[in-house]
Amino acid sequence: MNKRQLSGGAAGLIAGVLNGLLGAGGGTVVVPMLEKCGLPPQRAHATSIAVIVPLCVLSAVWYLKNGNFSLNDLWIYVPAGLGGAYVASLVLPKIPAKLLRRIFGAFLLYAAFRLLTR
């Protein structure tokens, strides 16, 4: 096993733990980890989504099984979320890497501010 496979496996393990604890918000940590593994920003964001989708499905099944939410809760958010994901998939490749990093950094700062002021 080479260094890239080991770092990728470690990133996957961390992504799974964070997804279980934070939901898809774990992607805020996965994207920088993927960039550290050598992926360009657009590819890191897209790969993060691809990695997080199965993790989210697994977590959702587990939480549903344990009664932490109901399927009725989903139908309020899923249609708009799917539409937003589609639009983002069209826009992401057109955003320059430097601007994407700045947008992502601003989002992280905003999220940190909200968490600290709650």
Side-chain angles (χ1 to χ4, degrees):
M1 197 174 263
N2 65 32
K3 184 179 176 183
R4 185 167 184 210
Q5 289 172 319
L6 284 173
S7 64
L13 178 65
I14 292 167
V17 170
L18 290 173
N19 185 72
L21 293 174
L22 306 174
T28 58
V29 176
V30 174
V31 170
M33 284 191 321
L34 291 171
E35 285 187 27
K36 191 99 171 146
C37 290
L39 293 178
Q42 289 90 341
R43 194 159 173 198
H45 284 266
T47 302
S48 173
I49 296 300
V51 167
I52 287 173
V53 166
L55 298 176
C56 286
V57 169
L58 181 63
S59 294
V61 168
W62 196 263
Y63 286 129
L64 180 63
K65 180 182 169 197
N66 292 323
N68 294 29
F69 75 96
S70 76
L71 287 176
N72 291 333
D73 297 334
L74 290 177
W75 306 122
I76 298 169
Y77 305 103
V78 168
L82 290 173
Y86 175 71
V87 170
S89 74
L90 297 175
V91 173
L92 178 65
K94 297 176 181 170
I95 300 174
K98 188 173 184 177
L99 178 59
L100 184 59
R101 281 191 185 103
R102 289 182 178 178
I103 292 168
F104 190 67
F107 171 76
L108 289 177
L109 289 172
Y110 171 74
F113 177 78
R114 290 226 21 215
L115 286 171
L116 290 171
T117 58
R118 282 186 142 179

